[in-house]
Amino acid sequence: MIFDSHAHYDDDSFDEDREKVIEEIHNNGVIAVLNCGASFQGAKDSVKLAEKYDFFYAAVGIHPENAYELTEETLKEIREMTKNPKVKAIGEIGLDYYWEENPPKDVQKEVFRKQMALAKDLGLPVVIHDREAHGDTLEIMKEFPEVKGVVHCFSGSVEFARECLKLGYYIGFTGVITFKNAKKIIEVAKEVPMDRILVETDAPYMAPTPHRGKRNQSDYIKFIIEKIAEIKEVSPGFMENLTINNAKNLLKIKS
């Protein structure tokens, strides 16, 4: 039983077989997926997927690499999207300083703050993207203490994880934790309390070992769950139930 707390089935890599893959993951025990918008079009497509598939939910927002897409008009339309009961979070939002071609840092930060303010206003959790921007990400998170959420695909230190946890955030673990060189994220997993662990694919990216390098899909989360269960010295079944409950608690899903 799997709740994939972060995926992108709107990605064009699924264009040829999207319905087949979604049926397959459902048959393989995936009971819920949060599909996260990264662009304005991606946000709209995430809502469409959530409307089409009972076990899909949507997060709507603008990823930092697409920061220029956030205008007063698109922000208004994102707010409108949140009226749909299947929309459960604002995301994927945040900062990405890794790629030089991304919008300037000040533009990213302004767009991040606007979407954090929207989440505060709506009482919705956020899905935060943080790449090579831990200090600035934490600073903005602290500006909005009322907002909770998940730091997706966590890549920071144990110290950074502690700061995020103090603010009430969950930590999202991807297939990276199954890689041979994953010492840092394994140390983070040891530190994170059981009730703050989420598992995610970031599909189609970051497939876990033994599927590393292939297109990712939600049922591959079983390898992430097995690894975290091993680190935490619990059974995979316990970890499955725990991560499902954690995702439901964050996203306020009652069923």
Side-chain angles (χ1 to χ4, degrees):
M1 302 281 277
I2 288 165
F3 194 133
D4 185 353
S5 65
H6 194 115
H8 300 281
Y9 285 101
D10 56 294
D11 190 90
D12 58 13
S13 67
F14 291 108
D15 282 355
E16 292 186 9
D17 60 353
R18 184 173 288 107
E19 288 195 16
K20 180 173 173 286
V21 172
I22 290 173
E23 182 182 0
E24 182 182 330
I25 64 170
H26 199 36
N27 290 339
N28 287 343
V30 177
I31 64 159
V33 174
L34 182 68
N35 205 83
C36 299
S39 63
F40 183 59
Q41 185 60 49
K44 291 192 284 187
D45 289 342
S46 294
V47 175
K48 286 178 187 172
L49 284 167
E51 288 175 336
K52 183 172 183 178
Y53 299 101
D54 285 347
F55 71 111
F56 267 60
Y57 300 92
V60 293
I62 305 293
H63 187 287
E65 72 180 16
N66 298 313
Y68 285 124
E69 290 188 8
L70 195 78
T71 63
E72 290 307 313
E73 185 58 36
T74 55
L75 189 63
K76 193 193 302 182
E77 290 194 47
I78 288 170
R79 178 186 284 272
E80 196 66 23
M81 289 178 206
T82 65
K83 293 179 180 176
N84 187 313
K86 295 295 290 290
V87 174
K88 296 297 182 181
I90 300 297
E92 160 181 8
I93 65 175
L95 303 173
D96 191 319
Y97 296 168
Y98 181 78
W99 299 107
E100 286 185 15
E101 62 268 29
N102 277 352
K105 292 179 182 179
D106 60 333
V107 173
Q108 292 189 39
K109 288 194 278 189
E110 181 186 2
V111 166
F112 186 16
R113 286 187 170 101
K114 282 182 177 178
Q115 294 184 97
M116 289 288 280
L118 178 65
K120 175 186 172 182
D121 190 34
L122 296 171
L124 285 173
V126 291
V127 179
I128 291 181
H129 174 102
D130 159 45
R131 192 169 188 193
E132 305 288 337
H134 308 321
D136 286 351
T137 299
L138 186 61
E139 180 185 327
I140 292 172
M141 287 163 66
K142 285 180 175 178
E143 289 173 16
F144 297 89
E146 308 88 349
V147 177
K148 307 301 178 207
V150 55
V151 182
H152 127 81
C153 186
F154 191 87
S155 61
S157 63
V158 168
E159 292 72 27
F160 180 54
R162 286 178 186 143
E163 291 297 317
C164 296
L165 292 164
K166 276 186 208 168
L167 292 170
Y169 279 75
Y170 291 69
I171 304 297
F173 293 93
T174 64
V176 171
I177 201 166
T178 68
F179 298 170
K180 283 183 180 176
N181 60 348
K183 290 178 184 174
K184 186 166 77 167
I185 194 65
I186 286 171
E187 290 306 311
V188 170
K190 289 177 183 175
E191 182 81 13
V192 177
M194 289 290 204
D195 63 350
R196 300 288 190 82
I197 295 171
L198 294 184
V199 287
E200 55 177 77
T201 54
D202 202 20
Y205 314 106
M206 310 245 254
T209 303
H211 298 291
R212 189 174 182 180
K214 299 177 185 175
R215 185 183 67 176
N216 204 359
Q217 60 185 62
S218 298
D219 48 339
Y220 294 172
I221 278 182
K222 71 176 185 176
F223 300 105
I224 302 169
I225 285 174
E226 285 168 3
K227 184 64 180 179
I228 299 175
E230 175 192 315
I231 293 164
K232 290 294 199 182
E233 299 181 340
V234 296
S235 71
F238 176 88
M239 191 56 64
E240 282 180 10
N241 289 327
L242 177 89
T243 52
I244 289 168
N245 287 334
N246 289 350
K248 286 183 173 181
N249 285 340
L250 173 64
L251 301 173
K252 300 183 177 69
I253 296 170
K254 290 172 184 170
S255 58

